[in-house]
Amino acid sequence: MAESEFAQLQERFDYLSERESADHLAVNCPADKLVELCTALRDELGYDLLLDVTAVDWDVQSPRFTGFYHLLSTTKHEYLRIVSDCTDDINPSLPTLSGVFAAANWHERETYDLMGIRYEGHPDLRRILMWDEYPYHPLRKDFPLAGIETPLPAADVAEATKAKVLPAPMMGGPFVSSADGPMSQTEPSALDESWTEQKEKPVPSASPDGGKKN
Amino acid sequence: MATTTKEISIGDLGARSGEHETELQGETMSLNVGPSHPTTHGVLRLKMELDGDIVKTCDPVLGYLHRGDEKIAENMTYNQFVPYTDRLDYIAPLANNVAYAMAVEKLANLEVPERCQSIRVLCSELARISSHLLGVGVYGMDAGAWTVFMYTFTEREKLYTLFEELTGARFTTSYTRIGGVARDIPDGWLGRVLEFCKGVLPVLDQVDKLLTRNRIFMDRTVGIGAISKEDAIAYGLTGPNLRACGVDLDLRKDKPYLGYEKYDFEVPVGTTGDCYDRYLMRAEEIRQSVSIVRQCIDQFPEGSYYAEDAKKIFAPQKAKVLTSMEELIQNFMIVTEGPQIPAGEVYFEAENPKGALGFFIVSKGGGVPYRLKIRGPSFCNLSILDKLIPGHYLTDITVILGSLDFVMGECDR
Amino acid sequence: MQNTNVAYDSKVEGEIIVTQADAVINWIRKHSVWPMPMGLACCAIELMAAGASRFDISRFGMEVMRFSPRQADCMIVAGTVTYKMAEVVRRIYEQMAEPKWVVAMGACASTGGMYRSYATLQGVDRIIPVDVYISGCPPRPEALLDAMIKLQDKIGRERSVKNLTAPNAKPAEAELAGARKES
């Protein structure tokens, strides 16, 4: 079923390649063809509902960031996953889909906020879940779960209460095991120990524009 | 004494005030609604520009409840993350539990036995009734009808008693596990569910009598906040909000899971997509859910409440763990390292009361996900606000927000 | 010496009750605490359930949930406080008129709960002084009512007259968790 659908797609768009997936059809698409592909999918093939736009940080691999798009056809009731790698590892960027699907607007803002992927041509690319002046992109793999010390967003509250955005106390938890390796490494250990007395807090590089819109 | 006359001209008072009107016409007032506000169903902030009473622009600000769920998921085993799914849509926690468990099971290519599926269907539908009762109740309260809130909350308390008997907690149940549910249903629980179903329909009729043909309620909601079909699909709306606009998309019928194809129910679809239609959607969906619950209990199968052949995924029964070596080792591995889910990518969404709750899981093998993205329906439902609200009066804001029935827990995650 | 003493002998006083000023003031205050629900997340649903008919908070005179801080006595922080929201909580607390109390409802408001992450304030007592902490995730409405009764007891023990006449009513900032230790 999936093979024939993919074959149909591929004869139309020859730059697609099939991607391994546990459920429905998934295709790899180069970043520059994304808008063209999505417009055609929406207008001619009936994939009109954009469900989700997200990204994954592969950390030590290159390309480091990959954008994932999930589409649903309200008429044929079929899902489609489109996967696009970002060419640049340091300043990742993808073309925006907000001209094709209005839903992409907020999803792309969220992916920019949490992963730091810039969407070219987005009408209003600013943070949506964290506050505007937050300097980091929290969902990246080099950012610790506990967070990094930054000043509180409101200066007067910080002044009155002497409170700051502090790393959450993680001493000894949560305990998880990693996927592969010898038994001694797969045994559960505190995965994120960014705040212990023995280990110094890691500080990843802040995003170059400080999270603000250019 | 000489008298002097001096001519002065006093313009027409009306003309002068008319001049002032045109001068002031260009100024808009900025109004900030929220984040702490009784009608915003949670911490949503709207930055609005008003021209008199009419809203000109509206910029929603989210993120006041962003707790970092997705990052937390990368540090937890699959079963350890179940309590966090409770708190996404915290009005119908059982539905979130079920959706998450099914997403992970899809990745593991695991099929749960029929009894477990029926238990999950019951959980989802009771959660849907609970969520819509609150949606209708709070919507009435927003529009000024306090009695409806009291009636629906009393019914929800009965549901809470049922949930507490089944799972141990009133809400935030954390009931499902990967590969099954935490425990089997207690004796007599099904009978009590049927009694509840018998009792909720008359209350729904009373709510109907109070709201549906109520002149004031209709004046406040008919024609307000109308969303067109194209807009709804373009902005990614799902659930009752989408169906109110006339799009017949219900994942229970169109992409059936958990055996929903066995049950005979209708999916209400609206026409105009205004606030009144959305209210009618939810009221009718409660009745359909009651019908599904009754059918499910009629056909309730015997069997096991978990997948017994999933040795590396579902922990064995406690009695065996404490007496047999193999089960002890199995339990130890699953609890410490997590259910072993193979590598791959999956996206699964379930028809939650608020819309389609989707989980996108990227796994590299092992017991901890590499990336977990939660597609919250309320996030997408709210994205239409900056197009929908401008042009309405300020007093319509409460009604529009109430009719969209969103929850910030799954919006901000 | 308890502030709730009442001395009454009908043969001596007749229709007059003699008591301490504190007792009267505290009695009036504690039996009409108007909560300001800072309902942020799941605990807000249990707060609403406490206000509904089964667990009637109106028995204690607290059903008047005023969302305007100027009209409220007690702020019930129900739900997770994130750093983005912290500013709002503090500003609303500052707008409340004296006397005011704070109840941290639930694990997230007390200590950050199970959300040990980059975005969650680890306990609302880092920014406002808290009078009663309620544990639970979420606490049952009975637990909330128990906490409100404890708050009533606490109000009953206050030195109200002294607070009224003192120039600086409450050294609130010194009680904040952030001030007591570095982190």
Side-chain angles (χ1 to χ4, degrees):
Chain A
M1 176 75 168
E3 280 80 39
S4 65
E5 279 178 26
F6 178 66
Q8 282 175 10
L9 275 179
Q10 194 176 37
E11 53 174 88
R12 223 7 244 283
F13 313 102
D14 51 359
Y15 44 79
L16 294 180
S17 66
E18 193 166 3
R19 189 184 174 88
E20 174 117 16
S21 136
D23 49 356
H24 38 261
L25 182 61
V27 294
N28 291 318
C29 172
D32 46 350
K33 299 278 194 298
L34 206 51
V35 178
E36 173 195 325
L37 173 66
C38 289
T39 318
L41 283 172
R42 180 193 68 176
D43 294 331
E44 294 156 40
L45 292 168
Y47 285 96
D48 45 359
L49 193 68
L50 178 70
L51 290 168
D52 192 22
V53 176
T54 184
V56 178
D57 174 1
W58 299 107
D59 206 10
V60 293
Q61 262 175 267
S62 177
R64 182 176 170 190
F65 294 97
T66 307
F68 284 79
Y69 300 83
H70 290 98
L71 299 175
L72 170 65
S73 167
T74 52
T75 44
K76 296 188 294 192
H77 306 135
E78 288 295 325
Y79 290 102
L80 177 66
R81 179 179 310 130
I82 304 177
V83 182
S84 251
D85 289 326
C86 299
T87 41
D88 192 342
D89 279 355
I90 314 292
N91 293 320
S93 77
L94 283 173
T96 186
L97 284 185
S98 47
V100 185
F101 298 105
N105 192 322
W106 274 23
H107 280 117
E108 287 174 357
R109 275 178 67 186
E110 183 194 335
T111 315
Y112 165 66
D113 184 2
L114 296 179
M115 279 284 192
I117 298 182
R118 300 200 66 86
Y119 286 91
E120 326 246 300
H122 194 276
D124 184 22
L125 194 67
R126 59 195 157 99
R127 288 186 181 261
I128 189 171
L129 292 178
M130 303 302 289
W131 59 94
D132 285 333
E133 300 85 31
Y134 193 67
Y136 304 108
H137 295 290
L139 222 49
R140 291 191 173 184
K141 288 291 180 183
D142 52 351
F143 184 87
L145 170 62
I148 296 178
E149 185 170 325
T150 51
L152 210 59
D156 53 342
V157 172
E159 186 58 45
T161 59
K162 307 278 182 292
K164 287 183 279 216
V165 177
L166 290 170
M170 288 292 220
M171 295 279 280
F175 286 97
V176 289
S177 61
S178 56
D180 40 32
M183 183 83 164
S184 58
Q185 284 182 0
T186 59
E187 269 184 2
S189 57
L191 190 63
D192 187 329
E193 294 181 345
S194 61
W195 195 68
T196 66
E197 281 158 14
Q198 284 86 32
K199 198 166 158 191
E200 234 182 63
K201 300 175 206 178
V203 181
S205 54
S207 74
D209 54 7
K212 288 201 182 49
K213 185 177 151 185
N214 278 340
Chain B
M1 170 170 66
T3 51
T4 48
T5 50
K6 190 173 160 190
E7 267 197 13
I8 49 176
S9 86
I10 303 173
D12 176 15
L13 207 57
R16 250 188 297 154
S17 63
E19 260 170 41
H20 275 233
E21 276 274 324
T22 48
E23 273 173 28
L24 289 175
Q25 208 73 332
E27 279 182 27
T28 55
M29 181 177 93
S30 311
L31 182 68
N32 178 47
V33 173
S36 166
H37 195 277
T39 62
T40 59
H41 292 263
V43 285
L44 170 70
R45 178 178 175 200
L46 297 172
K47 288 160 75 163
M48 298 195 288
E49 297 272 320
L50 298 173
D51 175 21
D53 244 357
I54 302 183
V55 180
K56 284 284 174 227
T57 65
C58 170
D59 175 27
V61 181
L62 317 173
Y64 288 99
L65 200 56
H66 175 67
R67 302 177 271 203
D69 270 350
E70 295 176 5
K71 185 99 185 168
I72 290 174
E74 295 171 11
N75 289 279
M76 295 258 162
T77 66
Y78 289 97
N79 276 332
Q80 282 176 331
F81 190 65
V82 175
Y84 292 89
T85 61
D86 275 336
R87 284 129 178 109
L88 288 175
D89 172 5
Y90 41 78
I91 301 180
L94 278 168
N96 309 344
N97 290 155
V98 165
Y100 172 69
M102 284 182 359
V104 182
E105 282 158 14
K106 196 145 192 203
L107 187 53
N109 210 5
L110 183 63
E111 182 84 20
V112 288
E114 284 198 4
R115 187 178 175 90
C116 177
Q117 289 189 356
S118 292
I119 296 177
R120 286 180 175 181
V121 166
L122 272 183
C123 290
S124 297
E125 292 308 313
L126 289 176
R128 191 183 316 274
I129 296 175
S130 165
S131 168
H132 285 328
L133 278 176
L134 187 136
V136 165
V138 173
Y139 186 30
M141 190 167 77
D142 284 346
W146 272 85
T147 317
V148 177
F149 171 76
M150 289 297 166
Y151 286 173
T152 55
F153 256 70
T154 314
E155 289 306 304
R156 290 189 85 236
E157 288 292 333
K158 297 181 188 153
L159 266 176
Y160 278 174
T161 318
L162 287 172
F163 290 154
E164 196 176 8
E165 196 182 337
L166 177 69
T167 68
R170 283 155 56 91
F171 73 125
T172 62
T173 47
S174 308
Y175 181 53
T176 56
R177 304 280 179 268
I178 314 301
V181 290
R183 62 187 70 82
D184 207 350
I185 55 174
D187 291 329
W189 189 74
L190 292 176
R192 287 187 272 277
V193 172
L194 283 175
E195 265 179 47
F196 164 75
C197 289
K198 215 165 70 167
V200 78
L201 290 175
V203 171
L204 210 51
D205 288 335
Q206 278 182 324
V207 168
D208 215 15
K209 280 198 202 123
L210 280 175
L211 283 183
T212 310
R213 303 301 300 171
N214 183 327
R215 185 80 221 142
I216 301 176
F217 188 71
M218 286 177 72
D219 271 346
R220 283 202 78 174
T221 56
V222 174
I224 307 291
I227 305 176
S228 71
K229 220 168 163 170
E230 295 74 31
D231 268 348
I233 297 181
Y235 278 91
L237 256 57
T238 47
N241 295 333
L242 179 65
R243 291 195 283 277
C245 305
V247 180
D248 185 6
L249 180 68
D250 184 333
L251 293 170
R252 297 174 292 171
K253 285 256 187 218
D254 300 326
K255 304 282 282 176
Y257 52 92
L258 284 182
Y260 267 107
E261 58 270 4
K262 293 187 295 199
Y263 308 116
D264 178 31
F265 62 100
E266 283 175 25
V267 171
V269 176
T271 46
T272 50
D274 60 7
C275 296
Y276 189 63
D277 263 3
R278 291 193 277 270
Y279 155 73
L280 290 177
M281 286 294 107
R282 297 203 169 88
E284 183 58 31
E285 280 192 11
I286 300 179
R287 294 181 202 276
Q288 295 300 321
S289 288
V290 167
S291 153
I292 298 177
V293 166
R294 285 189 171 139
Q295 289 172 47
C296 183
I297 293 182
D298 271 340
Q299 312 169 13
F300 210 76
E302 295 298 324
S304 168
Y305 61 91
Y306 64 96
E308 283 172 2
D309 50 350
K311 294 284 181 207
K312 287 194 170 247
I313 296 180
F314 195 89
Q317 306 235 349
K318 259 308 185 271
K320 291 220 188 96
V321 167
L322 297 174
T323 50
S324 150
M325 181 53 101
E326 188 199 323
E327 269 82 6
L328 178 68
I329 297 175
Q330 192 186 339
N331 187 52
F332 177 78
M333 301 297 278
I334 292 177
V335 169
T336 52
E337 295 186 15
Q340 300 298 308
I341 307 288
E345 298 164 359
V346 75
Y347 178 79
F348 176 77
E349 51 178 32
E351 182 74 25
N352 253 29
K354 304 277 183 292
L357 175 69
F359 286 94
F360 171 58
I361 307 177
V362 175
S363 157
K364 283 190 169 179
V368 179
Y370 187 77
R371 169 93 171 97
L372 179 80
K373 167 79 173 25
I374 304 167
R375 188 251 181 207
S378 297
F379 185 77
C380 309
N381 290 352
L382 281 180
S383 64
I384 205 173
L385 275 183
D386 62 353
K387 173 131 193 247
L388 182 61
I389 289 191
H392 286 95
Y393 287 109
L394 181 60
T395 47
D396 291 332
I397 307 283
T398 58
V399 170
I400 292 176
L401 291 177
S403 73
L404 283 178
D405 196 18
F406 56 89
V407 164
M408 294 316 280
E410 64 183 0
C411 179
D412 291 339
R413 288 155 266 132
Chain C
M1 181 73 165
Q2 293 295 320
N3 291 345
T4 52
N5 276 350
V6 172
Y8 180 60
D9 185 346
S10 67
K11 295 197 188 66
V12 176
E13 283 95 1
E15 288 174 8
I16 301 173
I17 296 180
V18 175
T19 179
Q20 298 180 321
D22 270 349
V24 177
I25 293 174
N26 289 341
W27 177 79
I28 292 173
R29 281 181 182 170
K30 73 183 182 183
H31 286 297
S32 71
V33 175
W34 287 7
M36 196 210 131
M38 179 60 65
L40 303 170
C42 348
C43 282
I45 309 297
E46 286 297 52
L47 182 61
M48 282 155 62
S53 10
R54 185 179 179 187
F55 299 104
D56 209 11
I57 208 172
S58 169
R59 302 180 268 174
F60 305 97
M62 300 179 191
E63 85 279 15
V64 184
M65 300 240 174
R66 290 295 184 198
F67 286 88
S68 162
R70 299 275 187 204
Q71 300 171 5
D73 297 318
C74 166
M75 174 150 86
I76 304 182
V77 183
T80 321
V81 187
T82 56
Y83 287 113
K84 197 169 177 181
M85 189 68 192
E87 153 195 20
V88 177
V89 172
R90 173 78 195 181
R91 292 235 174 88
I92 292 184
Y93 175 75
E94 281 168 3
Q95 288 173 37
M96 285 168 70
E98 289 285 342
K100 57 188 173 185
W101 300 276
V102 175
V103 172
M105 176 178 179
C108 290
S110 307
T111 61
M114 62 181 186
Y115 291 101
R116 298 216 167 185
S117 68
Y118 53 88
T120 311
L121 182 68
Q122 301 292 308
V124 78
D125 58 359
R126 286 179 194 255
I127 46 171
I128 53 180
V130 173
D131 290 292
V132 182
Y133 296 85
I134 315 180
S135 64
C137 190
R140 291 184 63 104
E142 287 105 329
L144 175 64
L145 294 176
D146 183 43
M148 297 313 276
I149 293 174
K150 286 204 166 68
L151 181 67
Q152 285 182 332
D153 291 340
K154 186 170 184 179
I155 296 173
R157 292 192 297 266
E158 275 186 358
R159 310 291 295 268
S160 301
V161 174
K162 195 162 168 217
N163 287 340
L164 279 173
T165 53
N168 261 336
K170 248 198 244 188
E173 269 62 36
E175 298 169 23
L176 290 178
R180 255 181 289 155
K181 49 189 195 304
E182 223 293 307
S183 47

